[in-house]
Amino acid sequence: MDLLQRISIDPAVRFGKPCVRGTRLTVGDVLGVLAAGRAEAELLLDFPQLTHEDVLACFAFAAEREKRLITSAAAV
């Protein structure tokens, strides 16, 4: 399964922010917790609906978004 398929964008869920599919946890929520220094194991304990693959999907989503931003900026 493509990791990016684990991320959904639904205008009716969290104002359309990208979320881990089947949850209300945004990509930003997941990455923010990890960026604050919490271990992935702690995150998974706090949110048992998440899996390691979901965390990887958040990283993959952020990486793809970054690629698009760089490409768009280079075109200007």
Side-chain angles (χ1 to χ4, degrees):
M1 173 187 229
D2 180 22
L3 286 174
L4 294 178
Q5 291 179 358
R6 291 176 172 271
I7 305 299
S8 64
I9 299 174
D10 180 346
V13 178
R14 298 291 302 269
F15 304 101
K17 292 181 180 181
C19 292
V20 175
R21 187 171 300 283
T23 75
R24 296 179 60 78
L25 294 168
T26 68
V27 169
D29 293 337
V30 172
L31 296 179
V33 166
L34 296 171
R38 304 254 333 261
E40 180 183 344
E42 292 178 283
L43 176 69
L44 296 177
L45 284 173
D46 288 343
F47 299 98
Q49 68 271 39
L50 289 181
T51 65
H52 172 69
E53 289 75 18
D54 293 331
V55 174
L56 293 179
C58 291
F59 285 128
F61 184 88
E64 284 299 315
R65 180 173 264 182
E66 179 65 16
K67 283 182 198 175
R68 281 184 260 130
L69 288 174
I70 291 172
T71 303
S72 297
V76 173

